[in-house]
Structures are given as structure tokens and as C-alpha cells.
């Protein structure tokens, strides 16, 4: 009879060795999101007016559009990472977990793409408001 530890009997169902990477990504996206939100707040407070015309004109500048796109990417990536951890920890049925993670990915990518497109549309000369 083969002897082994309890971990040895698990047969590879232990650590996926991705926890550290996931943890670092969460910290990196939280710091970048915080810094970019501070930039956004300061930038908006420096505008003479906060009406649609002024904000659209400001966002048409590359110095505003590029950090805004970075803020969108960082925010949605951080949201995805955080929600993924919650789903993995609290959804125990494997089928429901897969479904929920897939739904999360569609949601984050869809809303992120919409926000990304809106900023690019304004930056390249269009108005993102509905007709």
C-alpha cells in the first residue's frame, strides 16, 4: 500500500499556482485605478465649467483621452478580478460557477468596450451623446 500525505491524496486538485499573480494584478489595478481617478477628479475640477460642451472639448484632447482610456481599462479589469474572486469563493456548483464567470466576462468586456468606444468617438471628433 502506497503511503502519502493528505495533500498527496488530493491528486493535483490543490493550488493552481496562480494566486500570487492574481493578487499582484489586483493590487496593481487598484493602485492604477486610484491614481487615475485622482487625475480625473483634479482634471474635472480645473475645468471652468462642467457642461457637456466643455467636458467633450476637454476629452477630445489626447492628454485627456489617453488617461481616460487607461482608467476605463484599469477599472473594468479590477472589477473583473474582484468579482472573479467572489464567484470562485462563494459559488460552489461548478456549472453555475462557469456560467457566472462567463456572464461576468461578457458584462465587463461589453461595458468596457462601450466606454472605450465612447471616449475614442469623442477624441476623434464625434459626439458620443445619442441623436
Amino acid at each position: 500500500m502506497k503511503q502519502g500525505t493528505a495533500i498527496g491524496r488530493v491528486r493535483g486538485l490543490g493550488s493552481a499556482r496562480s494566486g500570487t499573480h492574481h493578487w499582484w494584478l489586483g493590487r496593481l489595478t487598484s493602485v492604477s485605478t486610484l491614481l487615475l481617478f485622482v487625475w480625473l477628479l483634479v482634471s474635472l475640477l480645473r475645468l471652468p465649467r462642467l457642461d457637456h460642451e466643455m467636458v467633450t472639448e476637454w476629452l477630445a484632447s489626447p492628454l485627456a483621452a489617453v488617461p481616460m482610456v487607461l482608467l476605463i481599462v484599469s477599472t473594468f479589469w479590477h472589477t473583473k478580478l474582484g468579482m472573479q474572486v467572489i464567484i470562485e469563493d462563494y459559488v460552489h456548483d461548478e456549472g453555475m460557477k462557469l456560467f457566472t464567470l462567463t456572464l461576468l466576462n461578457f458584462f465587463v468586456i461589453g461595458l468596457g468596450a462601450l466606454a472605450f468606444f465612447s471616449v475614442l468617438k469623442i477624441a476623434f471628433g464625434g459626439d458620443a451623446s445619442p441623436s
Side-chain angles (χ1 to χ4, degrees):
M1 181 172 181
K2 187 174 181 181
Q3 290 237 310
T5 64
I7 290 183
R9 289 189 297 269
V10 174
R11 294 189 170 160
L13 296 178
S15 172
R17 303 194 195 290
S18 65
T20 304
H21 178 70
H22 195 270
W23 185 86
W24 273 111
L25 283 177
R27 296 313 169 266
L28 180 66
T29 57
S30 66
V31 169
S32 63
T33 302
L34 176 66
L35 293 174
L36 287 164
F37 265 115
V38 169
W39 161 82
L40 176 63
L41 182 63
V42 169
S43 296
L44 290 176
L45 290 175
R46 294 183 68 207
L47 291 177
R49 301 180 319 276
L50 287 177
D51 61 354
H52 181 266
E53 182 182 338
M54 178 60 66
V55 174
T56 304
E57 182 182 320
W58 167 76
L59 197 53
S61 163
L63 294 176
V66 170
M68 184 63 75
V69 165
L70 292 174
L71 175 61
I72 290 166
V73 170
S74 181
T75 301
F76 281 97
W77 194 1
H78 184 72
T79 300
K80 188 246 183 223
L81 290 171
M83 291 304 298
Q84 180 181 339
V85 169
I86 292 169
I87 291 167
E88 289 172 348
D89 286 349
Y90 294 106
V91 178
H92 300 293
D93 179 63
E94 290 302 318
M96 183 56 76
K97 185 182 297 188
L98 178 63
F99 172 74
T100 310
L101 288 172
T102 302
L103 195 63
L104 171 67
N105 284 326
F106 280 122
F107 178 76
V108 169
I109 290 169
L111 286 181
L114 180 65
F116 195 94
F117 177 78
S118 298
V119 170
L120 291 181
K121 186 172 180 183
I122 292 170
F124 291 124
D127 186 1
S129 64
S131 301

